[in-house]
Amino acid sequence: MSLAPALRSGPVRWERTRLLLSTPTFMVGLAILLFWVGCATVGQTLVDPLADDMMNSLLPPSAEHWFGTDQLGRDMFARVIAGSRDILIVAPLATVLGIVCGTLLGLIMGFFPGLVDDLLSRLIEAVLALPLLILALVALTALGASNGTVIVAIGLAFTPQVARVVRSAVMSERHLDYVAAARLRGETAVYIMVVEILPNILPPITVELTVRLGYAIFTVATLSFLGVGLQPPSPDWGLAISENYALIGGGYWWTVLFDALAIGSLVVSINLIAEGLNGALE
Amino acid sequence: MSAPAVPDALRIENLDVMYRVRGQERSVLRNLNLRIGAGETYGLVGESGCGKSTAALAVMRYLPRNGRIGGGHVLIDGEDLYGLSQTGLRQLRQTRLSMVYQDPGRALNPAITVGAQLAEVFTVAGAYSADADKRAVAMLRHVRITDPERVMGRYPHQLSGGMLQRTVIAMALAVDRKLIILDEPTTGLDATVEAEVLDLIDTLRREHGTAILFIGHNLAVIARMCERVGVLYGGLLVEEAPTRELFAAPRHPYTVGLLRCLPRLGLDRKLRRLDTIPGFPPSGAVELQGCIFANRCGLVRDRCRTEPPALSALGGGRSSRCFFHEEAGDLPRVTPPDPVEHVPPGEEHPLLVVESLGKTFGSGSHSVHALRDISFTIARGETVGLVGESGSGKSTLARILLGLERADPGSRIAFEANRRGGTQARHAIQMVFQNPDSALNRSHRVGRILRRALVRLGGLRGEILRGRLLALSRGVQLADSYLQAKPRQLSGGLKQRVAIARAFAGAPQLVVCDEPTSALDVSVQAAILNLLGDLQAAERVSYLFISHDLSVIRYVADRIAVLYLGRLLEIGPAESVFQGPHHPYTEALLSATPAPDGTLRRVKLSGAPPSAMSPPKGCVFHTRCPRHIGPICDTEEPALSERGGGHGIRCHLGSDDLGRAQVDQSSAA
Ligand code: SF4
Ligand code: SF4
């Protein structure tokens, strides 16, 4: 007798991918993000954000300077395009750092209930009581601003939130029988956490990753604006806004508007992606 | 049957239902015709995926969004369900039609008290609110909920499963409905609670004259509850008949096969292997060429492959969708009836000795004795069946034996492998879990799961490992191609085979089987039970087999232990436990087990099992014992006393005063 029916439907991943690709919000978000990633990688080779021309400072948008020029006569369009680079290096790295640390912490907390979890949970609650921005500000003032310190500050500030999400995901996995089966084989705690449980909690971690990335972009821009993030002469958007916002009063709106729109579009694109992923992974 | 003036409670005419799955239409129900007269009980049986739940949803007009009616009509109490406006539909559901789900939680709002929800049913039906409360209390009392006034104020999560299900039934029966759909209403309930719920449904139905569409996979329950039965297969009604006739002489090969899969009371693995149905049920995607059952049917001829048989009336209210229905009873067996030579359990030193094992949770005044004074042995190659309802401590016992939980100091667990140096206990005791979905890591491929088990438990590497892997998966009849699959691509039965293979990777000496077939269809259950039997004969492994299904226990076990609130109430050879004298609790359990043939006299238990948190003093069973003899039961805990032949019973009554089986069940085989 034939004992082999066709395997039930193909791998999950393909279905999810297909579902994602047919979600409009996800696709729009992805398109915007890819545009900015493109600008960040090749933008600097196409336009020069640093070329100044004092004769042509503070020109309004025109056919020649689409987004106008700033105080030093630098082309705003070139600066907006090129300004995507630093933020798209710093924010993702900070997010990855936060996800990695948070996942490790969350795995430990979720897997060892009792004293370990209790202590760490209290600690996390205490940290979470402080606003993220203040935390980062304090850290950066203490450490001095540089790309590296921005990454570390934001990454560590994200860790508790990520840890909390991972912890609850681990807690609902821990009681499943495959974990008991692994224990019966005498597997170590590290093996069970990393090899058995981790692959099953990747979906919530992925969602967390995208959500955090959105926050990270916003935070990096804010920190630059406050002067403790990226430093001049970087064409970074937050920095540009901070350099130029005093000019709005003089009617030079174009020196701020396009950078602000750029930040907004990037954050929105990430949120659209996060929403799409959330729908596909739930 | 019904007078012409009274319309049928339900009439389904030529109903087609399809689901859209990934852009493809799949037929789930094909040309279904069915009628249930007023006040009649009708059972719809079939294995998972046959379309029975879809039928229920279609009759409630609750099809999911990707489902649609392809054609046909559903008439409820004479009204065309799909012709109704939204208001008409709401009215129908409020007054004439109702459904009880398998999971009672689905029907109740977790944020509203049970009383408010129940009273609302009456207000909606037109009662004043003060009156509604009164009637709600009366209804709860009616479904034998003790202290209904207090229960009214509770939230759903504060009630036990049995209480919830009774509440939901109370809601469904609150107003005189014409038709109630019961979708596996007792799955997941303990045997004694199940029996009580079924009794309740039966009484209420008689009082109200409600018609019932009872949907289930448990043939024994259907047999007990229904006047007529329809068998669904692949979305088609393949047989329909009055219950008695269907079970006595089924006229469709599928029905015959299903009934043969059942381990009936009296059947024993040492005498006879269960028969199974080969192959797999069809998926709705295929277009029908000939008979839908053709590729699994032992009677198939050429004609069956080219021409689809019609559902033809056979007289006496019977019909069958088979060209050769007269021969259905002669369906050849698929599996050889003779078991692989069974080696009797070893007489030598027992494999496992458990003495005065206890387990206390918590400490001080809050401590709870989850297990107390448990002693038993398991011999090499023996199967000990462990019976107990939820809260009996059976899972705790299993976890302790597996080393996942620690027993109280003073408990003695001696495992032979421990004493002979070398192998450690964990290699020698393995487990097959109840739910294969949770037991297999869903992100690992089958091959990886088994390979890891072979590495860890068998200590294998390289070429030998590869060879053993194939041998292992073939040993549980898994096709090699499945090694590449993820668990979710496999059916429940195949997943359970993977789990069994994993347990056997390191040549274990004791395998704890925790309800390994309760999540499976009967035909799959039969195959799994056969597999476990064959593996035992081949490897001389011992089993501790936990189940609430006594017919399964009877089939697999050499000895049976009965656990209640952490106490061993009875233990002995399977034969003696079933023959009697029985412990009064075992007696109640036995009588609560519905059998597809013949009715058993029922011993009714009053009340719900007491909470394991505060077990009664004296005999733990005294609060529900129908044979209760007096104050001694309330104050003094009886000892587990020997009743001959290694049969121990924990009861103050003498053997002559205890119940016995009335029919000689071993002759039924
Ligand atoms: S019609 Fe043929 S294949 Fe179908 S059930 Fe009858 S004998 Fe079997
Ligand atoms: S000791 Fe008394 S209460 Fe307990 S089972 Fe026996 S008769 Fe019933």
Side-chain angles (χ1 to χ4, degrees), chain B residues 341-612:
Chain B
E341 176 112 41
H342 184 79
V343 192
E347 297 290 316
E348 71 270 41
H349 203 84
L351 180 70
L352 175 78
V353 181
V354 173
E355 256 169 50
S356 38
L357 179 147
K359 173 72 189 172
T360 319
F361 287 111
S363 56
S365 56
H366 292 296
S367 64
V368 176
H369 290 282
L371 292 170
R372 210 161 91 187
D373 193 20
I374 307 280
S375 302
F376 65 95
T377 60
I378 300 181
R380 195 169 285 280
E382 186 184 35
T383 301
V384 173
L386 186 59
V387 188
E389 300 182 272
S390 40
S392 63
K394 56 189 199 298
S395 305
T396 310
L397 179 58
R399 291 179 66 84
I400 289 175
L401 294 182
L402 290 160
L404 296 172
E405 201 114 33
R406 219 182 280 272
D408 287 347
S411 313
R412 200 171 86 85
I413 305 172
F415 194 66
E416 204 185 351
N418 275 358
R419 277 182 282 130
R420 295 212 217 105
T423 30
Q424 285 174 356
R426 73 153 193 270
H427 292 232
I429 309 185
Q430 283 298 314
M431 174 145 181
V432 177
F433 297 88
Q434 171 173 16
N435 182 350
D437 287 316
S438 125
L440 302 179
N441 192 330
R442 59 191 181 278
S443 45
H444 292 180
R445 291 183 193 284
V446 170
R448 178 173 181 188
I449 293 171
L450 296 183
R451 206 171 298 122
R452 184 71 190 176
L454 284 167
V455 170
R456 295 290 307 180
L457 300 173
L460 301 179
R461 293 272 181 285
E463 206 45 55
I464 309 175
L465 171 63
R466 217 155 305 141
R468 257 307 272 159
L469 177 62
L470 284 181
L472 185 64
S473 59
R474 285 176 192 161
V476 296
Q477 288 139 40
L478 268 185
D480 294 353
S481 58
Y482 291 148
L483 292 177
Q484 298 306 319
K486 290 264 180 79
R488 68 160 238 134
Q489 293 170 271
L490 306 181
S491 67
L494 289 171
K495 273 183 250 185
Q496 200 57 293
R497 284 174 194 274
V498 175
I500 291 171
R502 177 177 65 187
F504 277 86
Q509 294 174 7
L510 173 65
V511 175
V512 176
C513 302
D514 185 5
E515 307 252 12
T517 59
S518 68
L520 305 175
D521 281 323
V522 282
S523 66
V524 184
Q525 162 172 295
I528 294 288
L529 292 180
N530 283 342
L531 173 65
L532 286 171
D534 294 351
L535 285 170
Q536 179 171 53
E539 314 228 345
R540 219 163 134 63
V541 60
S542 308
Y543 290 132
L544 179 66
F545 199 104
I546 303 174
S547 180
H548 69 277
D549 186 335
L550 284 173
S551 47
V552 169
I553 285 281
R554 172 72 166 119
Y555 178 73
V556 299
D558 298 304
R559 279 192 305 139
I560 294 175
V562 181
L563 213 54
Y564 183 80
L565 290 178
R567 313 299 190 277
L568 208 50
L569 292 189
E570 178 164 8
I571 184 166
E575 203 77 355
S576 330
V577 171
F578 273 83
Q579 287 299 318
H582 313 295
H583 187 280
Y585 174 61
T586 316
E587 189 180 13
L589 274 183
L590 281 170
S591 76
T593 307
D597 38 14
T599 41
L600 282 162
R601 122 205 98 94
R602 293 262 292 111
V603 176
K604 289 191 182 164
L605 291 187
S606 51
S611 148

Side-chain angles (χ1 to χ4, degrees), chain B residues 252-253 291-294 297-301 304 309 321-324:
Chain B
H252 191 281
C291 171
I292 187 149
F293 192 55
C297 181
L299 295 174
V300 62
R301 325 263 162 94
C304 309
R321 196 183 287 277
C322 175
F323 295 125
F324 309 104

Side-chain angles (χ1 to χ4, degrees), chain B residues 192-205:
Chain B
T192 55
V193 181
E194 168 179 74
E196 208 178 325
V197 168
L198 292 180
D199 279 348
L200 174 71
I201 294 172
D202 209 41
T203 345
L204 291 177
R205 164 190 95 73

Side-chain angles (χ1 to χ4, degrees), chain A residues 90-103 151 155 158 209 212-213:
Chain A
V90 172
L93 284 180
T95 311
V96 168
L97 181 69
I99 291 286
V100 169
C101 295
T103 302
I151 291 172
F158 280 172
L209 182 94
R212 289 290 137 217
L213 185 58

